[in-house]
Amino acid sequence: MVGYASFQVLRLEQALGRDYDIRFRPAGPTGILVMALHGGGIEPGTGTLAEAIAGDLHGFYCFRGIGAAGNAALRIPSHLFDEPCAVELACAAESVLSIHGCRGPDCCVYLGGRDDALKEAAREALNAASFTVSESARFPGVNPMNLCNRGRSGKGLQLELTAGLRRALLGRKDEGRCRNGGFGRFVKALQDVLTVCSGKPVGGD
């Protein structure tokens, strides 16, 4: 997929507020940060899902392509993603959950990242919520420079959601316009996993 090798190159050719924007808040007492590095029109639906999973309890970061067309060109690979705010937030968090989108008409979640315990917890929770979960050599997410692994623990969780699954959850390409029952089940399953990981109840202090 055509894209950029770094944010430092992207920012020379793309304009903040016209081609992309950045939304964020730091990880709070839970120490967990939920990220969508390819939100908006880059990998549609990922930003909406990441924000919903973060809720009011966890930190949140989203880099969004907001152009009328051609947003996929703004994609920066996760292990090369060097936007300063993203790097600072990830390194300050204890653990990072990163939401991504991949191609495919099927409805599947591909697990990646270096945190095997968190991967297994996500697998069990998503399976229990009737979602298909797998792993793929295409999306290992184990590079230490991948932002999902840049938290203080040195390991995190990466989820690759197929286009079919994102359409099923959100209903259409425009993020957040249409949400069905599957959206709530998906978000709650992952919030429950993060609750156990952080020891903080969703909606708690």
Side-chain angles (χ1 to χ4, degrees), residues 4 37-38 43 75-82 98-100 141 143-150 158 160:
Y4 286 89
L37 305 182
H38 308 135
E43 293 172 355
R75 185 182 184 278
I76 304 169
S78 300
H79 65 291
L80 300 176
F81 201 96
D82 59 345
S98 190
I99 306 294
H100 296 267
N143 191 316
M145 293 303 294
N146 185 319
L147 278 187
C148 79
N149 300 316
R150 297 283 297 276
Q158 175 180 286
E160 290 276 356

Side-chain angles (χ1 to χ4, degrees), residues 169-188:
L169 296 177
L170 291 160
R172 56 181 292 177
K173 184 176 181 179
D174 297 328
E175 289 194 0
R177 294 290 185 85
C178 177
R179 302 177 182 179
N180 59 26
F183 181 95
R185 285 189 291 110
F186 184 85
V187 168
K188 184 178 186 305

Side-chain angles (χ1 to χ4, degrees), residues 29-75:
T30 68
I32 293 175
L33 178 68
V34 185
M35 309 188 82
L37 305 182
H38 308 135
I42 305 173
E43 293 172 355
T46 58
T48 296
L49 288 160
E51 185 169 22
I53 294 164
D56 297 326
L57 192 61
H58 308 299
F60 168 70
Y61 173 93
C62 181
F63 180 95
R64 302 192 308 164
I66 59 174
N71 289 290
L74 276 66
R75 185 182 184 278

